[in-house]
Structure formats: C-alpha cells, structure tokens
Amino acid sequence: MIEKTCQTFVSDCHIRAAAELINHAWDPVVLSALRLGPTRRNALLGRIGGISDKVLTQSLQRLSAGGLVTRLSTGDQIPRRKGAVYQLSSLGESFANGPLAQLAQWAADNQADLVGPSS
Amino acid sequence: MIEKTCQTFVSDCHIRAAAELINHAWDPVVLSALRLGPTRRNALLGRIGGISDKVLTQSLQRLSAGGLVTRLSTGDQIPRRKGAVYQLSSLGESFANGPLAQLAQWAADNQADLVGPSS
DNA sequence: TCGCATTCCTACCAATCGGTAGGAACGGCT
DNA sequence: AGCCGTTCCTACCGATTGGTAGGAATGCGA
C-alpha cells in the first residue's frame, strides 16, 4: 500500500509511514502515557481514562510489533505474567518526545481554534 | 468522549484532540499535499497517488469543517463548481508546517527502523 | 447546442476498529 | 489447596472507514 502510493508525492510519503503509527485512536495516548516511565498494564489502564482492556492490549501489541514499545517480562518470556512492564524503546522515546510531544504542544497552543467533533 | 477522558491524564489530553485531526488515514497526506499551495481537487487526486475520489472529498470536507482547509470558490459559493480551489488556512498551515512536518521528518530520519505493516 | 471535464453525491460493499462479556493461564497470598 | 488479582485471549456486536460504481449539477469549449 505504501510502496504504491510512494510513486507520486515522493517527498512526503514518509507521512504515510508515520501516520500508520498513530492511525489507531489510542496509540498516541498510550505512547504519551508511557512517557512517564515503564508502566504495568493495569497502571496504564488506570492512567489512561476510558480505554478498554482489549484495546489497550491490542495497542501494546501493535506498538511492540512496530518496535516503539518494549515488553519487559519480569521473569521469563511467558505471556500472561503478572509483573509484565511496558516501556518505550529508544525509537519510541524519540517518537514520543519528538513529533508526538510537538503534536500535543500544538494542540495545547491552538486549543481555542480547534473545532473538535465532540465540542 | 474527549471531555470524559480528560479527567485523567490531563496533561496530555491534548494528544487526543490532535489525534482526531489525523485519525483518518488520508487527512495528513491531504494536508501535506496542500503545503505546496492552493490546489484544485483534481490536481490533488493526481498528486496524491492511490486516494479515491470519494475519500478525498470526505477528507476535504472534514478538514474544512475543522478549519484547517479553506475552499476558495472561484466565483460564488455554489458547490460542484469546476474551478474550486482548496488551500490551507492559517491554522492548517501552522499544523502542516509544524507537527505534521516534524512527523514526516522523523519518519524520514528513522525510516530504516520503522517496521511498517506492509513491509 | 452538444459533448466533456470537473466537482460532488448517493448507494452499496468488505474490512477494520473499538467496546462488552466471558474465560483461560499465571502468580501471590492465606 | 483455595481464592484473588493480573494479563491476555476469544467471540460477538455496532459503528466507522475506505473502495467501487453510478449519477447529478455545473462550466467550458467545439
């Protein structure tokens, strides 16, 4: 999908690559929440208000597969462990502290001018 | 939806507001394409490869409703005019040249480390 | 006046996303 | 051993997204 669209509009085809990282509603929020440091799943559920159990799991899986988030199994690699901890990878950190932080900053600055669908 | 989730994780709830602007796959691409200047609909269709007619229309409507894009009716306000031209509003320009450009830049810099779903 | 390109809309359709509900595997505690 | 909290999965559901196809309205040129 990406390769094909890159034949035109070459200079900005990176936008599509980056957009896929944040195309899911909760992914940016999860990444932002992880900026506060390594966090357990359940702590994320509480810190992020309104996210459902399943979606958080899927989001973490997506972000892990994309290399933005690392799962620290406290003991071994067996899933469904209790003490699993998620943290930003170096790539995820550069993303969350870079463009994502800029995005949030811009939204904060232009809050008054934003016409959200729910306001 | 936003108001409720903002009760927790307040400092970064702006991320959700900003995320809604780019939650649709093609919106960031359209905004990027408009950075090159006021463009007619059909020119956008050609410049952006792979986007469908309907989706571009919807994207432009969304972005216009959000105040990021302005539609310049060459003559009057009647829709379905031939010479309609779209351009970034000042808000859209600050968004496209700010966080969106940063996003693209980051994606270009980290291109090698990105594991896209289609690669 | 007759096409023709352009803009935009309206069905449909498949795929996906987020949500709820229920349950399974694992660890910790008593 | 028994119970509970945590992590994660599955099955279903409604809503939304993006795509295709077809058509309507407008303006332009032959």
Side-chain angles (χ1 to χ4, degrees), chain B residues 19-83:
Chain B
E20 290 192 357
L21 296 176
I22 50 178
N23 242 336
H24 296 261
W26 290 103
D27 287 7
V29 186
V30 171
L31 285 174
S32 279
L34 283 174
R35 287 180 67 194
L36 303 184
T39 320
R40 286 184 300 106
R41 225 186 73 100
N42 231 23
L44 278 177
L45 268 180
R47 183 183 297 171
I48 308 174
I51 194 174
S52 80
D53 171 51
K54 193 194 71 170
V55 172
L56 176 60
T57 298
Q58 289 177 335
S59 185
L60 288 172
Q61 288 174 341
R62 222 181 353 255
L63 296 171
S64 298
L68 296 177
V69 163
T70 310
R71 189 196 133 109
L72 297 180
S73 313
T74 339
D76 34 60
Q77 77 288 2
I78 301 174
R80 290 173 192 163
R81 285 284 306 260
K82 197 183 178 183

Side-chain angles (χ1 to χ4, degrees), chain B residues 3 12 16 20 23 32 46 63 71 82 87 90 92 99 104 109-110:
Chain B
E3 313 82 45
D12 267 342
R16 312 190 195 191
E20 290 192 357
N23 242 336
S32 279
L63 296 171
R71 189 196 133 109
K82 197 183 178 183
Q87 71 173 7
S90 60
D109 293 343
N110 301 82

Side-chain angles (χ1 to χ4, degrees), chain A residues 40-42 53 57 61 71 80-82 86:
Chain A
R40 286 184 301 106
R41 226 187 72 102
N42 230 22
D53 171 50
T57 298
Q61 287 174 342
R71 189 195 133 109
R80 291 172 192 163
R81 284 285 304 259
K82 196 181 179 183
Y86 293 90

Side-chain angles (χ1 to χ4, degrees), chain A residues 25-97:
Chain A
W26 290 103
D27 287 6
V29 186
V30 171
L31 285 174
S32 279
L34 282 175
R35 286 180 67 194
L36 303 183
T39 321
R40 286 184 301 106
R41 226 187 72 102
N42 230 22
L44 278 177
L45 267 180
R47 182 183 298 171
I48 309 174
I51 194 173
S52 80
D53 171 50
K54 192 194 72 170
V55 172
L56 177 59
T57 298
Q58 288 176 336
S59 185
L60 288 171
Q61 287 174 342
R62 219 177 1 250
L63 295 171
S64 297
L68 296 177
V69 163
T70 310
R71 189 195 133 109
L72 297 179
S73 312
T74 339
D76 35 59
Q77 77 289 1
I78 300 174
R80 291 172 192 163
R81 284 285 304 259
K82 196 181 179 183
V85 163
Y86 293 90
Q87 71 172 7
L88 293 174
S89 69
S90 60
L91 187 66
E93 215 165 317
S94 88
F95 182 72
N97 293 327

